[in-house]
Amino acid sequence: MMEEKKAVLFVIATPSSYWCNIPLLNLSVLFEEEWRKVLLPPAKDGSGPSKCQVYAVNYSQLLRQSTDTLSPQAVQMHLNASNYTLPTQGCTSWTFDKSVYHDTIVTDWNLVCQRDYMPTLVYVIGSIASMIGTPLGGYLADRFGRKVTFQIYLLSLLLFGFSTTLAPKTDGISGFWVFACLVLPHFTFVYPSYLISSTLGLEIITSDLRAPFYALLTVVYSLGAVSFTLVAYLFRSWRSMMLGTLLPFTTFGFCWFVMPESPRWLLSRQSRFPALRRFQRRASEEEEVKTQSQLTYSDLLRRPTIRWRTLLMTIMAFSVQMVYYGLNFFAPRLDGTNP
C-alpha cells in the first residue's frame, strides 16, 4: 500500500524540458534547441531560453522581416541589427518533453512557472492528511476492531484513488482542484491501512514470531518499493499508473471471508464470540495472554518505564519519517543534472 505514496512522486513530476508555446507559429521548430534560443527570451539566471516568458511581438511578421532564408542564425542577425530590446510577456501554454513522462498532473494543467508550487502543495497537504488519518485509524481500530476498520479504509482508498483518474483535463486549473479534492482523502486512508493490517498480523501470532514477522514484512516492503520502478517504467501516464497500483489492492477485499479478528482486541473489548473462547483456551495452555482491564491512552504516560519508551519511539518515528519522506520527495530531482 505504501507504493501509492511513491506513485504520487511520479504523478506530480515535472518534465525536465519544456518551453512556451508561441502564438501564430509552427510549434515544430521549437523542438530544436537553436530555435528556442533565438525565439524565446533568455532566462533571468542565464541557464538558457526562458520557460516562462515569450516576446510580446508578432512572430510570423518577425520571421518574414528577418530574411528570405529561414534559419536561427538569420533571425538572430536580424534581432541584433534591430538594436532594441523586445518586450516580453508571460506564457499561457507550454509544450512538454514526453521522452520520460507521457503525462503528469503538471503537463495536464500546466503547473509550471507561477503555478509550480501546486504539485508540491499536493504532496505536503497529502502528507498532513496521512498524519491525521493515522491516529484516526488507530482510534477506529481500537473502537470497532482491526478487521472492520481495515476493510473500511481499504474501500475508501480504492474509491477515492480510482476517482482521481477521472479528474477532467481542462485548459484552466479547475480539473486540478478536482484532483486535489479527491487525492487528499485518498492519502488519509493509505498509510493507516498498512498499519492496521500489519498490527492485525502481529496480534494474531505468538510473541516469539513477532520479530521475524516484522522483519519479513520490512523485506517484502523493500522488494515492493524496488519493483515499483518497473511499474513506473511501464506506465508513463499518471492515470494508468494510478490504476496499475490500485488494481492489486482490490483482491484484499476478498480477505474479509478468511481474515480473523485480532484476539487481543477481542479480549480488550471482553467480547463474547466463539473465536474468543478458542483463543482463551489456547492462551491458558501457553500462559501467554491474560485478561486485562480496559486501557486508555493515558496509560502510556502513567508509569515511568512505558512513558520513557513511548517518548523514545515517538522521537525515533518522527526522525525516520522526516528523512524518509524528505528523500522520497527529492528523489525525482536527483537525476545527475542538479547540484
Side-chain angles (χ1 to χ4, degrees), residues 76 237 243 252:
Q76 186 65 64
S237 170
L243 292 174
F252 289 115

Side-chain angles (χ1 to χ4, degrees), residues 323-338:
V323 175
Y324 177 78
Y325 284 109
L327 291 174
N328 267 303
F329 180 72
F330 285 103
R333 300 179 181 270
L334 301 178
D335 57 359
T337 61
N338 297 295

